[in-house]
Amino acid sequence: MKNKTFLLAAIVAILPLIFLTQSCETIKDEVNDAASFDVSMNLPDQYFVLDSNDFKSTKGILEEIVFTQFYISVNLDSIFEANGISAGHISDGEFTAITVSLENPVEGVNFDFVNSMRVTVSETSGFEEETLLASTGTIADGSTSVTFNLETVNILDYLNKKDFYMRLYGDQDSPLPANLLPMLLQSGIKFTVEPL
């Protein structure tokens, strides 16, 4: 009888601890959810120049060419610091916009030399494995700026590595409209930060 009483007392003593532990985890999750915040930011503008000597095409022959590629670095530590936290976990990373524009185009200089464009992302500069981020579809005649249609791509792995590479392809179907064609690629991303 004494053993049964002791066992019952032990169970009664442990139950509140189990309940408290579960409640603490739930409370912790709710606090983390309440403390999480979204970050939207523009990535650095990417200026580049297409040289007609490097980008020749016979009219009517559609040819996909790498227009440019570049390295992107996202300093998560500075983002955490700017928001008053020392460390955090990120989730739900995605691109919010990608556009390509001709810099100061003169009359008659437009994107008519290209049928469509696409942007990919990779962990390596060799683009051995790449993921499609966005594409233009057919580009309207006379366009000097193009907004890309974004794919639904979670870029969380790239953001956690803090750096990655982007590449711009174009389906060139005629010669460039100028000897040198200065261009600008602009893009934005967003993600959620959960403080640790």
Side-chain angles (χ1 to χ4, degrees), residues 138-160:
T138 303
I139 299 171
D141 291 345
S143 296
T144 57
S145 182
V146 179
T147 300
F148 285 71
N149 304 314
L150 299 171
E151 299 290 322
T152 304
V153 176
N154 188 340
I155 59 166
L156 192 57
D157 288 343
Y158 300 106
L159 294 175
N160 280 323

Side-chain angles (χ1 to χ4, degrees), residues 37 39 75-91 159-160 162 191-196:
F37 55 92
V39 173
N75 189 338
L76 294 176
D77 293 334
S78 67
I79 293 168
F80 296 158
E81 186 178 311
N83 287 281
I85 62 172
S86 59
H89 170 77
I90 63 170
S91 61
L159 294 175
N160 280 323
K162 300 185 182 179
F191 52 91
T192 300
V193 175
E194 300 167 6
L196 294 179

